[in-house]
Amino acid sequence: MTTMKEVAERTGVSVSTVSLVLNDRDEGRVKPAIAEQVRATAKRLGYRPNPLARSLRTSKTRILGFISEGIAATPYAGGIILGAQDAASKLGYMLLTVNTDGNSDEAREIATLKRYGVDGFLYAKMSNRFTDVPKPLHDYPLVLVDATDRTGRYASIEPDETLIGYDATKRLIDACAWYVYENAARRGLVVGRDVSVVGVDNHRVFAETLEPQLTTVELPHYEMGYWATRKLVSLIEGREPDDDEPETTAPLPPLDASIPAKIHCTLIDKQSVAQR
């Protein structure tokens, strides 16, 4: 494991200089060219900070708590949690995830995460709805995922449902669900020729197994998880993360977007819409 001392020796500077740079306290104290050299050397040597040492020094654990009400038991949870985990890892944080039923066990799980010393919380719901933030979370940095706080106090991220309806309707207009397919077949109609169908959520069971394949608007689960984590880290650290944003299906809104931040979902065109 590479140490600060090794980085200092390779760079030709003191250990204290390396410490300032690698703890992002170099501005105005270390020349930019030297700081850049220290970071490049640390990266080349594979330096990784000691989380325990850092937490003792800064009173920050770099641990985030992810509270999921029900979504961990759905097909959609994977994307949200994966996005949050990827962003946390990239930014040097650990993500602890718990799933609750929204009732009696929620307070217990929040208390458990607090005992781990988390720096902030992600609070995720199902189906993009208004919610009341639990009182034990009020004094922590907090970002809501696929939900909106009734008071408008907390940052949140959700799909832009207005644009979902607009994009789906526009796609049908420009061209001129299992139940629809079945009824079309009963009436001798061919989906994609005689009738057009557009779905929402890009659920693979439907979107990829129906014949013809279903044109659908993809809900941005991964993107919501990723954005929410970056936003939470920005609240904890008091600055915008300097990482590079990942390539995503739907573009991420800026971190200073109005509350709630909305993601313009991507329309995935397949064969269920009739062509002119």
Side-chain angles (χ1 to χ4, degrees), residues 24 91 230 239-244:
D24 296 321
L91 295 170
R230 292 188 78 244
R239 64 185 179 90
E240 187 164 327
D242 55 9
D243 62 314
D244 295 324

Side-chain angles (χ1 to χ4, degrees), residues 5-60:
K5 182 178 180 181
E6 291 173 296
V7 174
E9 291 173 348
R10 294 290 187 93
T11 315
V13 298
S14 67
V15 175
S16 61
T17 296
V18 172
S19 177
L20 287 172
V21 173
L22 298 184
N23 286 296
D24 296 321
R25 295 188 289 119
D26 57 290
E27 188 173 353
R29 305 169 79 175
V30 180
K31 292 181 179 180
I34 294 177
E36 184 178 350
Q37 186 179 3
V38 169
R39 290 190 174 94
T41 301
K43 184 176 182 180
R44 185 173 67 252
L45 295 178
Y47 171 81
R48 293 290 183 272
N50 184 314
L52 178 59
R54 174 179 281 182
S55 67
L56 292 174
R57 183 174 61 253
T58 65
S59 298
K60 300 292 186 183

